[in-house]
Amino acid sequence: MKYSLSDQGEKMEVERVQAIASKTLDTIPSEFIRSEAEQPAITTVHGSVLEVPTIDLGGGDEDELVRLISKASNEWGLFQVVNHGIPNEAIGNLQRVGKEFFELPQQEKEVYAKPQGHDGEEGYGTKLQREIEGKKAWVDHLFHNIWPPSAINYKFWPTNPPSYREANEEYAKYLRGVAEKLLKYLSRGLGLVEDAIKEGGGGEEIGYLLKINYYPPCPRPDLALGVPAHTDMSLLTILVPNDVPGLQVCRDGRWYDVKYIPNALIIHIGDQIEIMSNGKYKAVLHRTTVNKDRTRMSWPVFIEPPHDHAVGPIAELIDEENPAKYRTKKYGDYKYCKLNKLPQ
């Protein structure tokens, strides 16, 4: 089913992936078929599940936590945390209301569609960034800011299901505590004062952007990708998945499935922390596969600098022996270049 969205008289035909998937085809449109260099069936290391570092945040020695998080961020750019302090009920409610939104009739979801010509990510949509060779990702999504209050625009928050706002605000409250703790530990891991990364990334103006990814069943999961290979633009990404596997990480040029751990949070180091750490911490190259029979969903929160905030290597990490490896750049400019596949 196609919906005509208008902005200042312009009309654009959009077909959602969820609608394509509902046609119960035994094949997929050609624009979803990846090149052989990307196809999961060819490029995945089969029979091997990657056990990325899993870190228990619920106690123990803080210095040891700093060491473990720093090591994982340097060697992997990715780790999972357990005993993180977010109640299972809060995570369950976040997942429930997100799933209920995507199960609404299409015309109800389209109320929250991204306005055409709108620069920001917020809203319901299918396409996120410039597509290479016209290839499309097998995913629909919903974006909206959840913190700080000054960045929240409730017109992008669904009113159905009725508990959507409550569930998201509750999750955001707990999530901020986890994020603050991780940023402190990451700073200490660089030998810096504990608020160095937070202040370098925008201080109290740092934004929390929620994305709900909805990957419907795909008749040819061997040929398609939910999201192609990328690193996150953010400082840090904190992600909750559902129980359908799909996250893959690139190690030594090969793609591996990441082990699912119930109630764990998946932490991605983003480009901005790689830049601030002058390369000591590495943004993780990852992608998402899809499933033939089951819907995969995930709830990443991108922890980002403000649009006009300039991010560069932290001064204390730079000297004659360790020159800056990255340019200092306003985050909004960085984001624009990355989404449009322009040189940084």
Side-chain angles (χ1 to χ4, degrees), residues 72-96:
S73 301
N74 171 260
E75 296 178 0
W76 290 79
L78 177 89
F79 53 96
Q80 303 200 54
V81 295
V82 295
N83 293 325
H84 41 68
I86 305 181
N88 292 346
E89 183 182 17
I91 292 175
N93 286 336
L94 175 83
Q95 293 176 306
R96 176 181 55 79

Side-chain angles (χ1 to χ4, degrees), residues 2-306:
K2 291 185 179 180
Y3 285 84
S4 182
L5 308 177
S6 64
D7 179 63
Q8 298 176 337
E10 292 181 31
K11 291 190 178 293
M12 181 177 182
E13 294 290 315
V14 177
E15 187 164 31
R16 304 302 183 196
V17 175
Q18 197 171 358
I20 296 169
S22 70
K23 295 173 182 174
T24 61
L25 306 169
D26 56 5
T27 184
I28 55 175
S30 60
E31 61 265 29
F32 291 98
I33 298 174
R34 295 279 158 182
S35 69
E36 288 192 359
E38 286 188 286
Q39 288 175 15
I42 297 172
T43 56
T44 299
V45 176
H46 297 283
S48 177
V49 175
L50 211 56
E51 296 199 31
V52 304
T54 301
I55 298 170
D56 186 341
L57 287 184
D61 180 61
E62 262 201 9
D63 289 341
E64 179 63 4
L65 278 177
V66 168
R67 188 189 71 79
L68 291 171
I69 287 170
S70 179
K71 187 171 190 286
S73 301
N74 171 260
E75 296 178 0
W76 290 79
L78 177 89
F79 53 96
Q80 303 200 54
V81 295
V82 295
N83 293 325
H84 41 68
I86 305 181
N88 292 346
E89 183 182 17
I91 292 175
N93 286 336
L94 175 83
Q95 293 176 306
R96 176 181 55 79
V97 296
K99 182 170 181 283
E100 288 175 5
F101 169 75
F102 276 93
E103 289 172 351
L104 291 174
Q106 193 63 38
Q107 62 269 28
E108 286 194 53
K109 295 196 286 279
E110 294 295 339
V111 169
Y112 303 96
K114 295 177 192 184
Q116 292 303 317
H118 173 59
D119 282 342
E121 297 100 332
E122 287 191 283
Y124 170 69
T126 297
K127 180 182 173 182
L128 175 60
Q129 58 188 350
R130 184 164 166 251
E131 291 155 346
I132 300 297
E133 299 171 352
K135 294 302 178 187
K136 294 182 178 178
W138 191 265
V139 63
D140 294 327
H141 55 248
L142 174 68
F143 275 102
H144 59 75
N145 289 313
I146 58 172
W147 194 262
S150 59
I152 292 173
N153 187 341
Y154 287 112
K155 81 174 185 181
F156 294 116
W157 290 47
T159 54
N160 188 14
S163 57
Y164 186 92
R165 178 169 169 176
E166 179 187 358
N168 276 265
E169 289 180 341
E170 180 79 352
Y171 179 69
K173 177 182 76 178
Y174 286 108
L175 183 77
R176 284 169 45 226
V178 176
E180 296 265 344
K181 186 180 283 189
L182 291 173
L183 292 175
K184 286 179 182 178
Y185 292 163
L186 285 162
S187 293
R188 286 174 53 185
L190 295 170
L192 302 170
V193 294
E194 63 180 23
D195 64 349
I197 287 178
K198 180 179 176 180
E199 291 309 310
E204 295 302 325
E205 297 303 309
I206 285 175
Y208 288 61
L209 177 66
L210 172 76
K211 182 187 184 192
I212 306 177
N213 289 307
Y214 187 92
Y215 309 97
C218 179
R220 295 298 306 270
D222 54 323
L223 302 178
L225 286 172
V227 178
H230 68 287
T231 58
D232 290 347
M233 295 177 283
S234 56
L235 290 158
L236 201 63
T237 303
I238 301 180
L239 180 144
V240 168
N242 71 351
D243 62 348
V244 179
L247 176 63
Q248 291 192 333
V249 166
C250 188
R251 297 286 285 175
D252 304 318
R254 307 180 78 193
W255 289 98
Y256 293 84
D257 293 315
V258 173
K259 183 178 180 180
Y260 168 71
I261 300 174
N263 300 314
L265 302 174
I266 301 172
I267 314 298
H268 296 177
I269 298 297
D271 295 345
Q272 305 312 304
I273 279 186
E274 177 171 323
I275 291 166
M276 292 170 72
S277 72
N278 205 35
K280 179 169 182 186
Y281 296 148
K282 308 291 192 299
V284 62
L285 185 65
H286 59 288
R287 69 181 187 183
T288 303
T289 59
V290 291
N291 191 283
K292 186 168 187 176
D293 306 306
R294 300 177 66 196
T295 295
R296 182 173 191 268
M297 293 186 72
S298 66
W299 289 257
V301 173
F302 302 104
I303 298 165
E304 305 184 314

